Amino acid sequence: MSSSASSVVNGGISFWYADDGLPAVREPLSQDASADVVIVGGGYTGLWTAYYLKKAAPFLRITVLEQKFCGYGASGRNGGWLYNGVAGRDRYAKLHGREAAVRLQQAMNHTVAEVVAVAGAEGIEADVHRGGVLEVATTPAQLARLRALHEHELAFGETDRELYGARETAERIRVADAVGSAWTPHGARLHPVKLAKGLAAVVEGLGVTIHESTPVTEIRPKHAVTPYGTVRAPYVLRCTEGFTASLKGQRRTWLPMNSSMIATEPLAEEQWAAIGWDGRETLGDMAHAYMYAQRTADGRIALGGRGVPYRFGSRTDNDGRTQAATVEALREILTRFFPSLAGTRVTHAWSGVLGVPRDWCATVTLDRSTGLGWAGGYVGSGVATANLAARTLRDLVQRDSGQGGRTELTELPWVNHKVRRWEPEPFRWLGVQGMYATYRAADRRERLRPGLASSRLAKVADRVAGRH
């Protein structure tokens, strides 16, 4: 028997918090204050930025302001994919040349190792398993896209990738109807909340001030304004990702895209024996509305994808509650991939938002005339990208303050990239709803009418989205 909707823990932020427990919330800001650097947002980007800045310049007075608690947003709700994908690489190749985009990709490849190394050095136990990333194809059209992706990645210097046929794929993991897969070593599974909690504790131990339950309502040069006081600093860094739209004047900057997840009960040994997945790779597919999954340290499958992709007016949820139809859709993906799990209980469901720029390009910026900086727009690849962004923000601040010069990171093509704002409502809502309805229709068509060509519907959706 499959689990009923009433038996699923729905919301509660995420399964990762149900597993590891909610943190004790740090004290909010109580009055006006000053700092050398104020960081708005206590997720991965903000915490990594505080970490690297404090390590580089221990004398800096750094304050992090977080509206709920560190890791409340995407950093505590994601799929635990630490991998080398970066949003916008192909566009950066068109704008700045292939060599610049290759440098960005190489930096991302290194970032996976960087996160693993720092977590180990700082004693952060985050259930890291470096098994790489396996992306499977289950239709002829998906297989054609997979092979094209593999060749494309090789052209960007990722020469350690491997392409598998159906038999080799089944030796790694037995996904129903899998006709091929591609694997890259530049990926790891981790427990998102353990990483966020551990990083916050390390940062605080270095002497960084963290104020939680302190929503920032407005950012302006040298000021971060909250209901409890204003923090003044020469540098104000916005690290708010999918929650950026809640700031004054930022409603159309990045679109908060919703992604949802489920987690199963722990599987029995015989169930794992039937599935395989001994390498504990992070698992994805080549559908247009793709899925992502991991084998957790306690033997569950945590699987995600798009449910209700966007809420009118760039609204975000509070506790991650997910619609019953989305939970069922994700359960359907689980059992389509692994039919033997049809009777397995889904114990948790949750949602979170990720930041999507209008051109789908992640960016890092420091405006030297105002001291305002920001990083984000990761489009779902933030677990690793946030680390690279943070190290880049560190170098930009050090360069601007005279503590350093140009570095390899400050010269990457995503630095100071400018992008137009999203359309006003209702066009924003209509566009996103239409885009994902079209992607899902394209996936259905490819499953029901197998052919080598990708559905033309997906190409229409890509144009609407501005992804190409």
Side-chain angles (χ1 to χ4, degrees):
M1 295 289 291
S2 64
S3 58
S4 67
S6 61
S7 68
V8 177
V9 177
N10 193 333
I13 306 174
S14 72
F15 157 72
W16 310 115
Y17 279 108
D19 181 52
D20 201 59
L22 292 174
V25 178
R26 296 171 175 86
E27 289 296 314
L29 182 71
S30 60
Q31 60 186 6
D32 289 346
S34 64
D36 298 312
V37 180
V38 59
I39 296 169
V40 180
Y44 291 151
T45 306
L47 293 173
W48 279 123
T49 301
Y51 174 82
Y52 286 111
L53 273 171
K54 193 68 173 174
K55 285 291 230 181
F59 57 85
L60 285 177
R61 296 174 304 139
I62 302 172
T63 296
V64 175
L65 302 176
E66 164 55 42
Q67 68 164 341
K68 296 284 189 176
F69 54 80
C70 290
Y72 173 81
S75 299
R77 309 189 198 192
N78 63 79
W81 270 50
L82 177 73
Y83 86 117
N84 67 337
V86 57
R89 184 198 62 192
D90 289 359
R91 190 180 294 268
Y92 288 129
K94 293 177 183 177
L95 293 173
H96 301 278
R98 176 171 293 273
E99 183 181 340
V102 168
R103 286 190 286 107
L104 179 60
Q105 184 60 67
Q106 290 172 339
M108 279 304 308
N109 295 349
H110 169 73
T111 294
V112 174
E114 170 73 7
V115 173
V116 173
V118 173
E122 296 291 356
I124 300 173
E125 177 46 63
D127 297 341
V128 176
H129 182 85
R130 198 168 175 184
V133 181
L134 187 71
E135 293 173 292
V136 300
T138 58
T139 68
Q142 286 190 22
L143 184 60
R145 288 198 296 275
L146 179 80
R147 288 171 172 162
L149 171 69
H150 180 71
E151 294 301 320
H152 196 56
E153 297 306 302
L154 291 177
F156 277 93
E158 199 183 322
T159 56
D160 43 7
R161 293 179 60 85
E162 297 178 7
L163 188 64
Y164 304 133
R167 181 181 58 80
E168 294 168 303
T169 300
E171 289 172 355
R172 280 182 172 260
I173 185 169
R174 284 176 280 286
V175 172
D177 301 322
V179 290
S181 62
W183 177 81
T184 172
H186 301 292
R189 172 213 74 189
L190 55 76
H191 189 300
V193 162
K194 290 181 179 180
L195 177 61
K197 283 184 177 180
L199 188 55
V202 168
V203 164
E204 201 167 40
L206 292 174
V208 172
T209 299
I210 301 176
H211 290 298
E212 297 179 325
S213 298
T214 305
V216 173
T217 55
E218 182 182 2
I219 293 173
R220 57 178 187 262
K222 298 180 172 53
H223 296 75
V225 181
T226 85
Y228 312 117
T230 297
V231 181
R232 293 170 173 80
Y235 298 100
V236 182
L237 307 180
R238 188 186 80 224
C239 303
T240 47
E241 190 57 352
F243 291 88
T244 299
S246 64
L247 291 164
K248 182 177 179 179
Q250 302 292 337
R251 186 169 296 275
R252 291 166 53 198
T253 299
W254 290 333
L255 186 140
M257 187 79 76
N258 208 52
S259 197
S260 300
M261 294 197 70
I262 57 172
T264 70
E265 64 186 334
L267 304 187
E269 285 302 318
E270 56 268 25
Q271 290 176 301
W272 282 120
I275 292 170
W277 208 349
D278 296 332
R280 292 167 172 76
E281 305 92 339
T282 56
L283 176 68
D285 74 351
M286 294 304 297
H288 300 292
Y290 51 83
M291 60 77 73
Y292 52 95
Q294 69 152 280
R295 176 175 175 170
T296 68
D298 64 346
R300 303 169 190 261
I301 294 177
L303 180 149
R306 298 288 182 267
V308 177
Y310 172 71
R311 298 170 189 266
F312 190 89
S314 292
R315 296 196 309 273
T316 54
D317 70 89
N318 290 320
D319 66 353
R321 189 162 181 81
T322 301
Q323 288 190 341
T326 298
V327 178
E328 287 306 311
L330 292 174
R331 188 202 309 277
E332 189 274 330
I333 294 173
L334 174 72
T335 55
R336 176 153 43 86
F337 270 53
F338 307 112
S340 63
L341 299 184
T344 300
R345 282 197 317 124
V346 169
T347 58
H348 295 78
W350 69 99
S351 296
V353 293
L354 48 102
V356 180
R358 190 61 184 88
D359 65 355
W360 299 69
C361 290
T363 56
V364 183
T365 297
L366 180 66
D367 184 338
R368 303 185 73 174
S369 66
T370 63
L372 296 179
W374 57 89
Y378 304 133
V379 195
S381 300
V383 179
T385 315
N387 178 277
L388 178 61
R391 285 182 284 128
T392 307
L393 276 175
R394 170 202 61 195
D395 288 1
L396 289 170
V397 168
Q398 287 211 285
R399 175 186 168 193
D400 186 73
S401 62
Q403 300 298 314
R406 294 175 181 269
T407 68
E408 291 182 2
L409 299 186
T410 63
E411 303 308 300
L412 290 175
W414 69 336
V415 173
N416 295 331
H417 174 73
K418 292 179 174 58
V419 60
R420 68 183 175 91
R421 290 151 64 84
W422 282 88
E423 291 79 2
E425 297 291 23
F427 304 107
R428 192 158 73 243
W429 184 87
L430 290 169
V432 176
Q433 300 298 323
M435 175 182 69
Y436 272 98
T438 305
Y439 282 142
R440 285 190 287 267
D443 287 328
R444 284 194 300 272
R445 181 170 295 186
E446 290 177 4
R447 285 198 302 271
L448 296 173
R449 297 163 57 184
L452 288 176
S454 294
S455 171
R456 284 178 291 187
L457 287 172
K459 296 176 182 177
V460 172
D462 283 342
R463 284 196 293 271
V464 171
R467 298 176 81 165
H468 294 295

